[in-house]
Amino acid sequence: MEKPSKIAPAKGKLGVLLPGMGAVSTTFMAGVELVRKGKSQPVGSLTQMGTLRLGKRTDARSPLIKNFVPLAELKDLTFGGWDIFKDNAYQSAANAGVLNPQDLEKVKSFLSTIKPMKAAFDHDFVKLIDGPNIKKGKNKYELALQIKEDIANFRKTSRASRLVTCWCGSTESFVKPEDVHSTPEKFIEAMKSNHPMIAPSMLYAWASVTSGVPFANGAPNLTVDIPAIQKLAHDNNVAICGKDFKTGQTLMKTILAPGFKARMLGLEGWFSTNILGNRDGEVLEDPGSFKTKEVSKLSVLEYILQPQLYPQLYGTMCHKVRINYYPPRGDNKEGWDNIDIFGWLGYPMQIKVDFLCRDSILAAPIVLDLVLFLDLAQRAGMRGIQEWLSFYFKSPMTAPGLYPEHDLFIQSMKLKNTLRWMKGEDLITHLGQEYYD
């Protein structure tokens, strides 16, 4: 891809469309408004608090990212979305129980104005929840056209000059790529024939991409990770990225596993279990939805540790993942890990990690960063898969035949070097020899 010759300025409003207005979406929207009001800080957001180094270490040039690249400002964000429940964003946030009543009260009037559009929903893909706020149509193609109409109406009523869609809905049942996903033409025919392998999230992706709207996939669903949508993204000059927000337990794996590999420490086994009680936990009680999530979470260690290159260290490792729905825990999930490693002469050691995290608190700044970075990529003319945003995902999308980078530190370097590249700055290699010549 050629380096952008010019990045269009972030003029006007940026409309943020959110399929799924549950815990993550409402925590994100409430947080943005609290920050805009000066009532809180955007902790966890690289776009708002992160810096990047330019030039040599001795140059002392480390601007805030938001001052280095032309990102949309928080004051220009406006929100809309879809959900199977009719609750407005305030009611949904109160039900989710992520934010305390004092914080919610500060943004009640704002959140109460955000009401969900009817959602495209298929019970075959999310079996354990249901709701009344659902679109009707004779086939999936008709539903997708209704979503396109929603996008056009939101663009008009919100007076947004640009839009971004970020999937924050449920994990769907496991789907493998099939022939119906191979080309845009076959995909349309499959929607018209109500093919069982066309998931609701794919309808939102198709509607967004064909409307010229960038799309981020925050769930482990296939969604945009199929040739048909990728071809449409390329043809329509639309940026896409995914999949599955990297929040709690997998975030820890992408921090710890690179350290083991860097020091050539062996791994005999890694057992992970999760306890959570939010809607995501309820959905994942279904074996089909759990399979989708499991595949996403299991792939991380294989790619980071590369057992094919280091068979003595990682060739026989045992990696297991369990997810347990436990309603009393709510959104404050617990990720527990038992890690069996070995060192010099094969002597065994153990590491225990007990991460009592807040799932939506970790996900909300990811949504913000993805929205702002996708909008930036779109204005820079960067179309198709945005691999530089792998930093935010459990199962990063890549070009066909290319393995994904899961190492958080490689992903961070890739992201920041992409921003330097976009602005014509030297890439940072950390070689450092120039200081000793």
Side-chain angles (χ1 to χ4, degrees), residues 401-416:
L402 185 64
Y403 73 82
E405 289 287 2
H406 279 277
D407 182 319
L408 187 75
F409 307 100
I410 293 176
Q411 292 174 335
S412 176
M413 187 181 294
K414 182 191 293 284
L415 188 155
K416 290 188 174 183

Side-chain angles (χ1 to χ4, degrees), residues 21-210:
M21 283 177 49
V24 172
S25 292
T26 57
T27 303
F28 157 63
M29 292 186 285
V32 168
E33 183 66 2
L34 285 166
V35 172
R36 291 194 291 208
K37 284 174 164 285
K39 302 291 185 182
S40 197
Q41 294 295 319
V43 177
S45 170
L46 198 63
T47 60
Q48 302 306 300
M49 305 190 83
T51 64
L52 80 170
R53 190 188 109 202
L54 302 177
K56 295 181 178 180
R57 279 182 274 168
T58 50
D59 292 345
R61 297 170 61 210
S62 294
L64 285 167
I65 287 172
K66 66 179 181 180
N67 294 335
F68 175 64
V69 288
L71 297 176
E73 296 185 33
L74 296 191
K75 66 179 179 63
D76 293 326
L77 267 55
T78 184
F79 306 99
W82 301 263
D83 202 273
I84 65 172
F85 298 103
K86 294 181 179 180
D87 294 344
N88 63 43
Y90 172 76
Q91 293 167 325
S92 180
N95 290 336
V98 178
L99 301 177
N100 64 47
Q102 293 87 346
D103 280 333
L104 274 183
E105 191 62 31
K106 297 171 188 173
V107 292
K108 180 177 180 178
S109 59
F110 165 73
L111 291 178
S112 297
T113 64
I114 304 171
K115 299 175 182 178
M117 297 175 275
K118 288 185 177 181
F121 182 75
D122 187 339
H123 204 266
D124 288 339
F125 283 90
V126 183
K127 291 184 170 62
L128 297 186
I129 60 171
D130 213 338
N133 201 40
I134 296 172
K135 294 183 182 298
K136 296 187 183 301
K138 64 182 180 181
N139 56 41
K140 295 178 180 182
Y141 183 62
E142 191 171 289
L143 295 177
L145 291 178
Q146 289 178 34
I147 297 170
K148 274 182 71 88
E149 188 176 347
D150 290 341
I151 293 170
N153 288 339
F154 178 77
R155 191 193 298 268
K156 183 178 179 180
T157 57
S158 68
R159 297 182 179 178
S161 60
R162 308 174 316 283
L163 301 177
V164 173
T165 302
C166 185
W167 176 271
C168 294
S170 296
T171 298
E172 297 169 332
S173 292
F174 185 68
V175 174
K176 288 184 177 180
E178 295 191 5
D179 189 53
V180 295
H181 305 128
S182 61
T183 68
E185 295 76 19
K186 290 181 178 179
F187 188 83
I188 288 176
E189 289 305 310
M191 287 194 289
K192 289 179 177 178
S193 66
N194 278 329
H195 195 283
M197 291 297 102
I198 303 297
S201 63
M202 296 177 183
L203 305 184
Y204 287 94
W206 180 86
S208 294
V209 169
T210 57

